[in-house]
Amino acid sequence: MTKYDNIYFKIGQPSTGKSYGFNIKSLQDTAQFAKLTPQRYKMIPVSGGVGNEYKGLQNTDLAISYDAVQHGIRLGEFLKFLMKAILNPADDYVLFLDDFHNQDISSLLSEYTPLFKAQQKVDLIDKVDIPDDLNIDEWPTTQEFIKRWNMFVDSLDDVAVVPITNRLSGEDIKLVYPSNFYLFGAANFNEKTTNIFADWQDRATITYIDPLEQMELLRDKYPSDEFVECVVSINNHLKDILENDHDIYDIERYCFGIWKIVDATDNITEDKEEQKKLVRFFFGMIKNSLIYNNKNSMINNIGKKLLQKLKNDTKDKFNMLFENELKGDITHKTLHSFGIYES
């Protein structure tokens, strides 16, 4: 069974099962979170990204913002969830940030950077005397709640207290880092996740998913499946080209995850056209990974070498799928047809 640290991020290529391990059902299957309930689990999709900066999730959405409807301050869902964990130290609370590659995680969680230091984490079971009048969801005005909340935090003995800045009404919210609060995150590789600032590298355990390990899991589950072997061979040939021809060894940033070939019924499609569509999708993922890692100039070179290796591997199903496309020499037009051409 996996033992999860309080702050744990998984980063990898799409279709490597990063988010799957953080859904509530998967967590409930572990000994650590067997008693986790839907009321103590929250998933927040991190929206935004290039071109959608002002439409996406902001750090104020996770902390304190202005409520235009109530004409007052609003406590973000992240903040309220953390407060509930503080009030209920005997129960684990899990908050999951999905697709955080859409935002710079250091910027998104900037309000909480001073709080989530390992040395400040505290077990509150013997320290919390829960007040009867502190129901986070029922207080009539937020300002009254903040005053009452801060009185409660001040009553805790021997804990590190860190305030969250309240620029709207002036009175900051005092917080502690409880040991029963877990923050998980899943993200794809891109320019935001390959350069996570040192502050969150220090606060989080970060795992980089190896797509080649995921391939072996798929092989074990679907032994001797020709299409699985075809897709696996693309990744293996790509790995060889990266390592042997370009001295690139962090292959987890370039090889792709292949769980996408399994459908909702846990089967692998046998339709030839659907299989060809999936293979082209994977070639597009390889191109995107090269772009994200500033290897644009290598796209055509790597694409040509990869298609040539696959063409030469006559026993592989790739040749049966693309027998018409692989006739003759591998040209830029061939690369374009597979979605791995850069003009």
Side-chain angles (χ1 to χ4, degrees):
M1 288 292 183
T2 300
K3 174 67 175 177
Y4 287 103
D5 295 324
N6 282 73
I7 303 178
Y8 182 36
F9 298 153
K10 290 182 182 179
I11 300 172
Q13 297 289 57
S15 299
T16 48
K18 302 177 300 298
S19 298
Y20 176 79
F22 290 139
N23 66 41
I24 187 169
K25 178 64 171 62
S26 297
L27 291 172
Q28 287 173 332
D29 287 340
T30 68
Q32 187 175 358
F33 297 112
K35 297 181 180 180
L36 187 65
T37 65
Q39 293 74 28
R40 294 187 275 111
Y41 174 88
K42 179 174 288 294
M43 191 271 281
I44 298 179
V46 180
S47 58
V50 176
N52 293 295
E53 290 86 349
Y54 299 106
K55 299 178 183 178
L57 191 70
Q58 304 294 317
N59 60 349
T60 50
D61 297 323
L62 300 183
I64 303 171
S65 59
Y66 178 73
D67 188 330
V69 176
Q70 300 296 329
H71 302 290
I73 65 174
R74 174 182 173 274
L75 304 183
E77 291 303 304
F78 187 111
L79 178 56
K80 291 170 68 175
F81 198 74
L82 173 59
M83 289 174 159
K84 290 178 181 179
I86 293 171
L87 287 173
N88 300 277
D91 299 318
D92 289 331
Y93 281 72
V94 174
L95 193 147
F96 171 41
L97 296 176
D98 196 16
D99 290 339
F100 74 77
H101 55 267
N102 286 319
Q103 298 279 344
D104 184 317
I105 195 72
S106 298
S107 175
L108 185 65
L109 296 176
S110 60
E111 297 287 356
Y112 298 95
T113 302
L115 175 66
F116 290 132
K117 296 179 180 178
Q119 62 268 31
Q120 294 176 170
K121 184 171 63 176
V122 60
D123 186 345
L124 294 172
I125 287 183
D126 296 325
K127 298 179 183 294
V128 173
D129 183 13
I130 302 174
D132 295 332
D133 61 344
L134 262 185
N135 188 319
I136 293 173
D137 296 315
E138 295 182 2
W139 266 73
T141 70
T142 306
Q143 193 56 42
E144 289 179 17
F145 171 78
I146 291 174
K147 291 180 179 179
R148 181 66 189 90
W149 173 267
N150 286 344
M151 289 174 57
F152 158 67
V153 173
D154 287 336
S155 71
L156 301 176
D157 294 328
D158 193 28
V159 297
V161 176
V162 177
I164 291 290
T165 303
N166 177 7
R167 299 177 181 86
L168 297 175
S169 63
E171 185 164 3
D172 295 344
I173 299 180
K174 297 179 180 180
L175 295 173
V176 298
Y177 177 14
S179 60
N180 61 315
F181 177 78
Y182 293 83
L183 174 61
F184 299 150
N188 295 337
F189 276 113
N190 66 8
E191 67 281 358
K192 295 183 177 68
T193 56
T194 55
N195 296 298
I196 293 179
F197 289 163
D199 51 5
W200 281 94
Q201 287 182 350
D202 179 57
R203 286 158 177 74
T205 297
I206 302 176
T207 296
Y208 297 98
I209 305 300
D210 184 348
L212 302 184
E213 291 180 359
Q214 300 297 311
M215 286 195 308
E216 294 309 313
L217 294 176
L218 196 63
R219 259 180 167 165
D220 291 343
K221 191 168 185 178
Y222 302 92
S224 303
D225 186 284
E226 286 188 333
F227 186 56
V228 170
E229 293 304 315
C230 167
V231 177
V232 166
S233 70
I234 299 174
N235 253 345
N236 283 335
H237 285 314
L238 175 62
K239 173 182 180 291
D240 291 341
I241 292 169
L242 292 172
E243 292 186 346
N244 298 331
D245 297 353
H246 299 281
D247 290 329
I248 295 173
Y249 301 101
D250 52 345
I251 54 89
E252 67 275 4
R253 300 188 184 194
Y254 302 90
C255 294
F256 52 85
I258 54 179
W259 285 102
K260 186 177 177 66
I261 72 175
V262 180
D263 64 20
T265 60
D266 218 26
N267 292 313
I268 295 174
T269 180
E270 296 183 4
D271 181 79
K272 181 177 179 180
E273 291 306 312
E274 184 63 26
Q275 289 179 345
K276 291 174 70 171
K277 181 180 176 182
L278 284 168
V279 169
R280 287 193 172 95
F281 173 79
F282 293 136
F283 272 84
M285 287 174 62
I286 296 170
K287 176 181 176 178
N288 286 340
S289 70
L290 291 166
I291 292 172
Y292 286 145
N293 289 280
N294 299 312
K295 302 291 192 298
N296 303 54
S297 62
M298 295 184 180
I299 291 172
N300 293 344
N301 180 275
I302 289 175
K304 188 173 183 177
K305 289 178 179 177
L306 180 56
L307 282 171
Q308 191 63 56
K309 278 181 173 287
L310 290 162
K311 182 179 179 180
N312 294 341
D313 192 355
T314 55
K315 295 180 181 179
D316 193 276
K317 188 177 182 179
F318 189 89
N319 282 275
M320 291 185 285
L321 283 175
F322 296 100
E323 56 183 341
N324 293 327
E325 291 87 341
L326 294 175
K327 290 178 179 178
D329 295 333
I330 305 296
T331 65
H332 283 173
K333 187 175 182 179
T334 313
L335 298 181
H336 176 70
S337 71
F338 280 90
I340 194 167
Y341 173 66
E342 178 78 354
S343 62

